[in-house]
Amino acid sequence: MKLIIMGPIGSGKGTQAKILAEKFGLKHLSTGDIMRKHIKDETEIGKKIKSVLDSGGYVDDTLTTELLKQSLTNKFILDGYPRTIPQVSLLAELTSIDKVIFLEADEKEVIERISSRLSCLECGKMYNTKDNVSTCVCGNNLVQREDDKKETIEKRLAIFKKETLPIAKIYEEKGLLVKVSGVGEIYEITERLIGVLNDIS
């Protein structure tokens, strides 16, 4: 099974990708995770990526695809790729895709969900403002990351509409796209996704 999962930020695609990977024995491929590992390991390609990101630029499609190519297997779920129309063509040259899952989420709910996040910069544990806590279990203070602020979320949603929705349209025209509601508890969304994927597994 070769899958792509996509959706706006806050739709839970990363969480669901990990759950589905375990459920169906797939390799979870996140280009963001792959890049972060290269940066952490200080590989030559990692140094190049870090230089681009530190300067405020974007890692180009060719380099991103080359990184992905090194990790591709016969059973995977892609999370965060393709992000651009050229990447759709580059991916098609590497492998076929069985299904593209599009997690639908209400924009207002996405903004509310993400902007209520609090993070521990030390251990990475996430909290919600509704938890009424200011300190992590590890003892460090909780903060709201720049990425989780309302203004940042709105900008990222605008980019999603401009760049990712056209990609979804391409896969829809190919008959590969299936839309699934990303609203509800994690287990409810998982059950919907499993129902869809059982038909093709």
Side-chain angles (χ1 to χ4, degrees):
M1 194 187 309
K2 301 176 181 179
L3 307 173
I4 294 172
I5 188 166
M6 60 194 335
I9 55 167
S11 60
K13 59 184 181 297
T15 297
Q16 294 298 332
K18 291 173 184 175
I19 294 172
L20 295 176
E22 184 174 347
K23 168 72 178 176
F24 292 96
L26 310 174
K27 186 173 183 180
H28 176 210
L29 294 175
S30 163
T31 49
D33 288 346
I34 294 171
M35 289 182 189
R36 281 187 285 274
K37 188 175 189 310
H38 274 279
I39 292 172
K40 181 180 180 181
D41 293 344
E42 297 186 340
T43 65
E44 286 304 312
I45 201 166
K47 292 174 183 176
K48 184 176 180 181
I49 292 169
K50 187 175 187 302
S51 175
V52 171
L53 296 178
D54 286 350
S55 66
Y58 291 94
V59 180
D60 66 67
D61 294 332
T62 303
L63 178 56
T64 303
T65 305
E66 183 58 35
L67 282 173
L68 179 65
K69 183 180 179 180
Q70 297 172 12
S71 302
L72 278 179
T73 63
N74 290 326
K75 297 174 70 178
F76 61 78
I77 181 164
L78 268 174
D79 169 19
Y81 184 101
R83 287 186 184 274
T84 67
I85 290 178
Q87 286 180 3
V88 174
S89 299
L90 289 168
L91 179 61
E93 293 174 7
L94 295 179
T95 186
S96 59
I97 296 296
D98 296 316
K99 191 70 68 176
V100 179
I101 301 164
F102 189 96
L103 277 180
E104 297 182 301
D106 178 73
E107 190 169 305
K108 183 178 179 182
E109 182 176 327
V110 164
I111 293 173
E112 183 178 338
R113 184 188 299 176
I114 301 177
S115 61
S116 64
R117 286 177 184 167
L118 292 174
S119 307
C120 174
L121 298 182
E122 186 64 31
C123 73
K125 188 173 176 61
M126 303 287 288
Y127 293 82
N128 191 290
T129 52
K130 295 175 183 176
D131 296 330
N132 291 319
V133 293
S134 58
T135 306
C136 180
V137 290
C138 73
N140 288 278
N141 291 332
L142 301 176
V143 299
Q144 184 181 47
R145 299 182 308 177
E146 284 297 323
D147 282 355
D148 294 338
K149 291 184 177 178
K150 185 173 182 289
E151 299 77 11
T152 306
I153 300 165
E154 289 172 341
K155 287 178 183 177
R156 291 180 66 188
L157 284 171
I159 293 172
F160 172 80
K161 290 177 183 176
K162 180 181 178 181
E163 297 182 357
T164 308
L165 287 183
I167 294 172
K169 185 68 176 176
I170 291 172
Y171 285 118
E172 187 172 30
E173 290 172 352
K174 292 176 182 288
L176 296 174
L177 190 79
V178 56
K179 296 179 180 179
V180 177
S181 172
V183 177
E185 298 295 330
I186 291 175
Y187 76 90
E188 293 174 326
I189 301 167
T190 301
E191 286 178 357
R192 292 176 203 140
L193 292 170
I194 289 174
V196 168
L197 297 180
N198 276 335
D199 294 336
I200 65 169
S201 61

